[in-house]
Amino acid sequence: MSADPNRGLALELERLRGTPGEGPAEIKGALALLVHRTDRVDQELGDQREALSGLESRVDGAESAISAQANHPARLAAVERLVWIEVGAAAVLGTLGGWAVGALL
């Protein structure tokens, strides 16, 4: 009972027949997965860029508010000057009003 040498070859060829069809299918599946991941990463990157742009806008707004307050000491001095002028005027008017009332009584 000798084994047919062609039988082993036939079995090996039968086993290998499915291999060429499986290779491209695996490659296509891997490529589809990579495309899906790339799309997801691109979407996340776009979201991060939008968030960064929003933060940059907020920082710009804060910087402009700070620069608007840069002349705060000069504005404060002007307000204080006006207050002291008004206080002095009120004191003078109060004194004159007191004299006038005293003169009438």
Side-chain angles (χ1 to χ4, degrees), residues 7-22:
R7 179 160 169 73
L9 181 60
L11 288 173
E12 187 63 26
L13 285 174
E14 185 65 32
R15 187 183 67 80
L16 290 175
R17 266 193 196 134
T19 304
E22 293 170 3

Side-chain angles (χ1 to χ4, degrees), residues 52-86:
L52 180 60
S53 177
L55 289 174
E56 287 174 342
S57 297
R58 290 179 61 192
V59 167
D60 291 342
E63 286 176 345
S64 65
I66 290 170
S67 66
Q69 297 299 322
N71 62 352
H72 181 69
R75 290 174 54 200
L76 182 60
V79 168
E80 286 177 345
R81 201 170 31 253
L82 289 174
V83 167
W84 282 111
I85 290 170
E86 291 175 3

Side-chain angles (χ1 to χ4, degrees), residues 28-48:
K28 286 180 183 177
L31 286 175
L33 179 62
L34 289 174
V35 168
H36 174 71
R37 286 181 179 170
T38 301
D39 291 343
R40 192 175 74 213
V41 168
D42 287 343
Q43 178 64 37
E44 289 175 2
L45 182 60
D47 294 344
Q48 292 296 323

